[in-house]
Amino acid sequence: MSPLKEEALASSSPKEVSQGPGAKDKNSIKDVGKEEDTIATTSDKKKDSDPLATVREVFSFAQTNKVKVWIAIGTFCAAVTGCTFPAMAWIFSDSFQRLSGADVPEFDFMAEMRELAFQLLVLGAIICLFMTLSAGLLEASATEMSETMKKQWFEALLRQDMAYYDISDVSGTATIINTNGRKFKKCVSKHV
């Protein structure tokens, strides 16, 4: 039995254990554990019942070439930004290695520090440029894609038969469209 189950059972009174769902008598600890396993399995089934959208489905709202180019350039800029941090570690390790030779009489400490400062300055400019491009392009493409998604959803609602609106909650549908549009935009802009 796991320590968490033992602690939970130890903190509860015998009356709670015996009256808990799935418990047959006061000493029926195994049945309580089986119920917890059943609950966990049921919640796992609920998670599996809602399949996630595929990459193709997510990016299907990038219908114009402009948005596709923005996504490609933004993703490339994000990759370059990710490569700058290992480059920074390499610059630091190289500088420590060069500065460890400071005992040599012809060693120019200020020249080495100046070179390190310029390397880090260039790297900082690269990071700033590519992070800004990545965030800006992905945010702009996410805005365009979420607007396209909302427009297509609304057009699908307009194609519905009038009986559909008798059955469904029209004001709730507008809220759902807006909320899901914001979620989609956040997902595409921040998590790509």
Side-chain angles (χ1 to χ4, degrees):
M1 185 180 314
S2 71
L4 292 175
K5 286 182 182 177
E6 290 176 355
E7 182 179 309
L9 291 174
S11 66
S12 61
S13 67
K15 194 182 257 188
E16 291 172 339
V17 172
S18 66
Q19 292 177 353
K24 296 178 182 174
D25 59 23
K26 290 182 182 179
N27 298 325
S28 181
I29 295 174
K30 286 184 179 179
D31 291 333
V32 174
K34 285 182 183 177
E35 168 128 4
E36 290 173 4
D37 293 339
T38 305
I39 292 170
T41 306
T42 306
S43 65
D44 291 340
K45 287 180 183 176
K46 287 180 184 176
K47 290 179 185 175
D48 292 339
S49 67
D50 294 334
L52 296 175
T54 63
V55 174
R56 184 177 181 151
E57 290 171 341
V58 170
F59 291 107
S60 68
F61 298 109
Q63 295 179 342
T64 62
N65 287 335
K66 174 179 73 170
V67 175
K68 291 175 185 176
V69 169
W70 287 353
I71 291 171
I73 294 172
T75 304
F76 173 75
C77 291
V80 170
T81 302
C83 293
T84 57
F85 294 108
M88 187 183 308
W90 179 76
I91 289 172
F92 275 123
S93 69
D94 186 50
S95 68
F96 288 140
Q97 184 179 14
R98 286 186 298 176
L99 292 176
S100 66
D103 296 337
V104 180
E106 63 270 356
F107 182 74
D108 188 7
F109 184 76
M110 289 307 289
E112 291 292 328
M113 290 305 292
R114 191 176 309 112
E115 184 180 344
L116 175 64
F118 284 129
Q119 287 176 347
L120 291 176
L121 185 66
V122 168
L123 187 64
I126 291 170
I127 290 172
C128 181
L129 174 70
F130 281 95
M131 274 187 159
T132 303
L133 283 173
S134 173
L137 290 172
L138 290 177
E139 184 70 30
S141 63
T143 301
E144 291 282 332
M145 289 170 60
S146 67
E147 291 300 319
T148 302
M149 183 196 75
K150 288 182 204 178
K151 182 180 169 188
Q152 287 180 0
W153 197 341
F154 186 68
E155 287 172 352
L157 283 176
L158 291 177
R159 287 191 303 265
Q160 298 296 321
D161 188 42
M162 291 305 289
Y164 171 79
Y165 298 105
D166 293 336
I167 298 170
S168 67
D169 179 24
V170 178
S171 63
T173 304
T175 305
I176 290 171
I177 292 172
N178 205 13
T179 303
N180 287 335
R182 275 193 236 118
K183 286 179 185 177
F184 181 78
K185 180 181 174 184
K186 181 180 178 184
C187 172
V188 171
S189 67
K190 304 285 188 241
H191 301 287
V192 170

